[in-house]
Amino acid sequence: MEISQVRYFLAVAKELNFTRAAEECNVTQPALSRAIKLLEDEFGGALFHRERRFTHLTELGRMVETYLEGVFENSRQAKQIAEQYVHMKKTPLRVGIMSTIAPDEIIELISSVRAHHPGVELHLCDADAPSLRRRLLEGDLEAAIYALPSNVPDQEVHSLPLFREQMVMAVHLTHRLANQRSVRVKDMSNESYIHRNNCEFAGYADAILSEQGVTVSPVYWSDRDDWTLAMIAAGLGFGFMPEHTAKHPGVVALPITDPEFWREVNLVTVRGRRHSPAVGALVREATQKRWFGERAKALSAAE
């Protein structure tokens, strides 16, 4: 059964005249009659009584009319949705954001997408980087913004660099190191540590600290960076955080050296997957955006 056959049937059912129905459908009457005959063959019975002066539905025709109306309407709506999707008149886009990224820059990106592509409906979720990567590969997300510390290329995804930022030691104002311009990894030893459960360096940094004989004592664990910052400001311990996240009254951010820790935040999509026009719009806005000023421009120039 083809949609054109359904359309012809509904036109005849409405007009009760094959000639007028053919005119309404902009086809010849023989073509319309053949289509109706094929539909009748498929259903196994006549759909119309064809009489010289009067054409009317058979009992079978009346039984299937409501269902064919539904088929035609669903087809019309599906086509409309597809057209809106392709032309970005109404296109949902599921994007994952790493929960440790400061919101200001992401909000600017969202605003830019909304301003230039009002038909794109952004559905945002936040999670840790490994979870976002898994959901991306499984098809639950179309794009994600996250960072992973490994230098090994990920062959399953394509990563567009957005910005880099240094990791810092966040301490309260009266901490013994608060007046320094930076802090060495060795200076962290024996300090009380507030563990960020969603930190992408968890496990990765542990090996480096161990190599230098540095021991820290986790005293609190938190899923939320705002709580971590509040605890740091209260003097309950230090935090290992991205520089742009470590902004809170009473908190001092000290760049870590010997070695330095940097994270590169990327817009990630699945390599080889055919993406929607909305993903293309997101990529364009992300590449045109100035991420944290000069540093972002330097990264873009390097790429």
Side-chain angles (χ1 to χ4, degrees), residues 191-196 206 215-221 236 238:
E191 290 285 338
S192 296
Y193 173 56
I194 301 173
H195 182 79
R196 299 162 57 243
D206 293 346
T215 302
V216 296
S217 304
V219 289
Y220 297 99
W221 288 258
L236 301 180
F238 83 91

Side-chain angles (χ1 to χ4, degrees), residues 250-281:
V251 172
V252 177
L254 305 171
I256 300 171
T257 62
D258 298 326
E260 293 182 351
F261 291 87
W262 291 80
R263 73 174 185 179
E264 182 174 274
V265 175
N266 301 292
L267 174 58
V268 185
T269 55
V270 176
R271 190 180 298 276
R273 180 177 293 172
R274 186 172 182 177
H275 298 296
S276 71
V279 173

Side-chain angles (χ1 to χ4, degrees), residues 171-173 226 229-235 245-252:
V171 300
H172 65 92
L173 288 172
D226 56 346
L229 286 167
M231 287 188 280
I232 294 169
T245 301
K247 296 178 180 179
H248 189 280
V251 172
V252 177

